[in-house]
Amino acid sequence: MSTLPGWTWRIPERFNIAAACVDAHLGTPIAARPAVICDDATTGVASLSFAALAERTSRFAQLLRARGVEAGDRVLIRLPNCLDYPVAFLGALKRGAVPVPSSIQLTADELVFLARDSGAAALIVDAASAAAMRTALADVDTLRHIWTGGTELDVALAAVGPCAPPHPTRADDPAYLVYTSGTTGYPKGVLHAHRALLGRQPASEYWFDFAADGGDRVFHAGRYNWTYVLGTGLTDPLLRGCTTIVHEGPADAHAWTRLIARHAATIFVAVPTLYRQILQKTVAGAADVPTLRHCMSAGEPLSGEVLAQWQARFGQPIFEGLGMTECSYYISQPRRLPIRPGSAGLPQPGHAVTLRDPETLAEVPVGSEGMICIPRDDPALLLRYWSGAEECATAFRGDWFLSGDYARFDADGYLWFLGRRDDLINTFGYRVSPHEVERVLKDHPDIADCAVTGEEVQPGKVVVAAHVIAQPGASLSVEAVLAYGREHLAAYKAPRVAHLVDDLPRTGNGKVLRRALRGRTGS
């Protein structure tokens, strides 16, 4: 059995994420260090030191205070990756308000839903769509203030008076509200407390590889609206005095290694698809990124082939993590134990993850399939669902939060992720995880991406179906996909049907919508 040391939670009564990430470094040499860097393909590189970020977030908090935005009020953010995003997010936290991060890709109708559902009191929006969004949001009764990022926000911040100290929030006070895809077709709000940052500290210790001097430069390839980025790409590193880096611009496979080199990044965080694209579309290697010493991945399963190829070309592994909006990342490949390809890793110390029968709540035996359950008192868990009691009653039972995801533990304590029960494919008496099949198919050199579903080919007869995007210029055939599956997978797991597609339906955070895929084929 592989084990990790124990963990003792130390959660103070008073805690504010922004004060801990920014103001705590004032008066130390870290204050002069770059805190956030945004490399925009159009406008160039912009940055704020810890001292400048502390001042600007205090001004944003004071702006909210002066305009009557109270502690607990929601502040909706719709911006691209830019310096205004962390300023607004952390500044709202300093005020004791609740930032609501959202994607720049949201339409006006989608933003109206978030504004109404959250009861947002204020909005900060990008200049390019500000006029359209103001018009669309005119009838949202709770929305009292709208600021445009960039020059308008600069003027507003410059005009505020003396700044009050950060609001003395309790660790259990609401901190931020994030929306995830709901089973009803509408996004559902997940409300986190300020203690969520402390709940992620086992990940900082065992998944990250932070240098003792806090001098790391962490580059995350995602967008700030994703909790994966707000954690690993912003607040986790800032808490330890590290520099954080994001990019705004086209997602060009060749750009990532150039950006790592340009900013001397030491830690790179991305999704498996991006690592795969770098390997398939570039010839970059370790010599092109001499400062890089630690790589991390989450968001979807990492294939063993990508792991092996990255290690061969860049001389280091990729440490995979598993998380969810309700609990961030709580399982990972730890630096101190061997990586087991195909597994998501082990529960991090402090997160007493168990696999249980959701009907009886009895723990399942090692090797058996069970639902991932997390103790109700885990500091990283959400406070509640914004929509109220119904979803909380479904997710919380007894002493446990039921994640809805299924997995199995092997004899050494490694967790093998199976996915949602609705995603599992029942075929010929077997239960097949789409994640396992996808991980294998993505290793095919002519497959750029794929998703796997169950497809009913005859009444009562369900087979494994692969929806495959070919590499540009590749002459990939359906038979080649099926043959590769037969060669590399057990017969009951191998796809019996394949569809060559141009795209895969995804959520705003890039996760495949398998229900939509099943709808395309009528299965």
Side-chain angles (χ1 to χ4, degrees):
M1 172 71 73
S2 298
T3 59
L4 292 167
W7 184 272
T8 300
W9 292 109
R10 294 180 175 85
I11 310 296
E13 181 183 0
R14 299 281 178 180
F15 185 75
N16 183 284
I17 290 174
C21 288
V22 184
D23 291 16
H25 301 302
L26 297 177
T28 76
I30 292 173
R33 181 181 295 166
V36 289
I37 297 173
C38 181
D39 192 318
D40 190 305
T42 301
T43 61
V45 178
S47 67
L48 290 171
S49 67
F50 276 89
L53 183 61
E55 179 187 8
R56 197 165 175 84
T57 51
S58 290
R59 285 183 173 275
F60 189 83
Q62 191 63 28
L63 175 64
L64 295 177
R65 192 176 287 109
R67 298 297 178 88
V69 176
E70 302 292 340
D73 283 350
R74 276 72 63 203
V75 177
L76 184 57
I77 306 171
R78 183 195 185 273
L79 294 169
N81 275 355
C82 62
L83 297 183
D84 285 340
Y85 214 123
V87 166
F89 181 79
L90 295 168
L93 292 170
K94 275 191 177 182
R95 172 63 190 103
V98 178
V100 185
S102 70
S103 169
I104 191 69
Q105 300 177 37
L106 292 187
T107 65
D109 288 345
E110 290 171 315
L111 199 68
V112 168
F113 172 83
L114 293 191
R116 284 182 172 151
D117 191 71
S118 67
L123 165 70
I124 176 168
V125 65
D126 58 296
S129 57
M133 294 300 170
R134 286 176 186 270
T135 300
L137 293 161
D139 294 330
V140 179
D141 294 337
T142 61
L143 194 59
R144 304 191 298 274
H145 306 289
I146 299 178
W147 292 284
T148 301
T151 302
E152 180 182 318
L153 184 63
D154 289 341
V155 172
L157 294 181
V160 301
C163 297
H167 190 78
T169 52
R170 298 176 184 274
D172 280 327
D173 282 347
Y176 54 93
L177 175 64
V178 291
Y179 279 82
T180 185
S181 298
T183 56
T184 62
Y186 292 97
K188 62 179 179 181
V190 177
L191 183 65
H192 277 284
H194 283 268
R195 58 171 159 75
L197 176 60
L198 300 174
R200 291 198 301 271
Q201 290 318 292
S204 291
E205 182 70 23
Y206 294 98
W207 185 28
F208 271 101
D209 184 22
F210 286 123
D213 64 359
D216 278 304
R217 297 169 69 86
V218 181
F219 177 29
H220 202 304
R223 290 186 177 275
Y224 279 132
N225 63 279
W226 195 4
T227 51
Y228 179 27
V229 185
L230 287 171
T232 57
L234 185 69
T235 53
D236 294 346
L238 291 183
L239 183 65
R240 296 188 173 225
C242 301
T243 298
T244 65
I245 307 157
V246 292
H247 170 63
E248 177 60 37
D252 180 354
H254 293 82
W256 303 116
T257 50
R258 290 200 299 266
L259 288 163
I260 292 170
R262 177 185 300 167
H263 297 289
T266 57
I267 297 175
F268 183 48
V269 193
V271 295
T273 296
L274 192 148
Y275 284 107
R276 186 181 306 108
Q277 290 173 349
I278 293 172
L279 290 167
Q280 292 175 341
K281 297 182 180 182
T282 80
V283 295
D288 299 295
V289 287
T291 59
L292 184 64
R293 61 176 185 77
H294 189 66
C295 299
M296 298 160 59
S297 173
E300 61 185 59
L302 178 72
S303 78
E305 186 65 20
V306 168
L307 174 64
Q309 289 181 6
W310 188 269
Q311 188 149 8
R313 197 190 295 184
F314 288 87
Q316 54 190 291
I318 301 170
F319 291 88
E320 184 174 3
L322 175 67
M324 60 188 305
T325 304
E326 290 86 344
C327 194
S328 198
Y329 24 86
Y330 56 98
I331 293 169
S332 63
Q333 297 281 2
R335 295 178 289 106
R336 304 178 186 186
L337 292 173
I339 289 178
R340 188 157 293 181
S343 165
L346 289 87
Q348 295 161 358
H351 299 301
V353 176
T354 61
L355 302 183
R356 295 180 177 269
D357 181 323
E359 300 300 324
T360 66
L361 292 185
E363 190 167 2
V364 303
V366 170
S368 298
E369 172 192 311
M371 184 181 286
I372 300 175
C373 295
I374 304 166
R376 181 188 282 267
D377 60 358
D378 190 307
L381 268 179
L382 76 163
L383 275 174
R384 62 178 174 87
Y385 288 105
W386 188 251
S387 55
E390 183 177 347
E391 287 183 305
C392 280
T394 303
F396 288 97
R397 290 180 53 199
D399 295 331
W400 300 97
F401 171 79
L402 280 62
S403 71
D405 288 322
Y406 286 79
R408 63 178 176 83
F409 278 123
D410 65 21
D412 294 320
Y414 285 80
L415 183 138
W416 298 79
F417 185 72
L418 300 173
R420 313 294 287 187
R421 177 62 63 89
D422 289 345
D423 289 340
L424 294 176
I425 303 164
N426 291 297
T427 178
F428 299 104
Y430 295 96
R431 294 169 61 79
V432 177
S433 166
H435 302 279
E436 184 176 4
V437 181
E438 289 164 3
R439 186 184 298 117
V440 171
L441 294 182
K442 287 176 182 179
D443 289 336
H444 190 294
D446 291 335
I447 293 178
D449 206 352
C450 74
V452 169
T453 64
E455 184 170 324
E456 190 171 36
V457 293
Q458 295 177 14
K461 182 179 180 180
V462 175
V463 300
V464 178
H467 308 258
V468 175
I469 299 175
Q471 289 286 0
S475 56
L476 185 67
S477 67
V478 166
E479 180 51 40
V481 174
L482 299 180
Y484 189 82
R486 290 193 296 268
E487 180 182 356
H488 295 278
L489 288 160
Y492 70 91
K493 299 178 186 177
R496 303 288 184 94
V497 174
H499 305 282
L500 300 180
V501 299
D502 295 326
D503 66 273
L504 297 171
R506 294 181 180 274
T507 68
N509 288 334
K511 293 185 177 180
V512 173
L513 289 167
R514 290 188 176 82
R515 284 174 296 173
L517 275 175
R518 290 193 287 267
R520 284 183 180 182
T521 59
S523 55

